[in-house]
Amino acid sequence: MLYTLVMMVCLTDVPQTCEQREQMVDGLAMNPGTAFMQAQPLVAHWMETHPGYFVQRWRVLPGRGT
């Protein structure tokens, strides 16, 4: 199922500087709770590949696109 991973990310050095990032994700489970668990490694990977940022909060929204 198609979801949008929505993350509020902030700069580590300036934590009050935040922005919303959205990423389309396909192949997650139909069940939103299961999809949330499946998306956790995607959030972890984003953090690993974006040093200098931290994820303040995140969620998955079904069938959304920007």
Side-chain angles (χ1 to χ4, degrees):
M1 182 169 173
L2 183 64
Y3 284 89
T4 301
L5 175 62
V6 181
M7 298 180 289
M8 181 61 67
V9 300
C10 306
L11 290 172
T12 303
D13 293 339
V14 189
Q16 66 274 20
T17 302
C18 302
E19 62 185 53
Q20 182 171 297
R21 299 275 178 104
E22 296 187 6
Q23 176 182 338
M24 299 303 296
V25 180
D26 196 12
L28 299 182
M30 296 280 292
N31 179 295
T34 303
F36 183 84
M37 290 188 300
Q38 291 174 327
Q40 289 177 350
L42 300 174
V43 175
H45 180 262
W46 190 94
M47 290 189 307
E48 289 173 1
T49 58
H50 293 82
Y53 286 90
F54 68 94
V55 177
Q56 186 179 63
R57 63 180 176 270
W58 66 276
R59 59 190 171 156
V60 287
L61 301 174
R64 195 173 153 201
T66 55

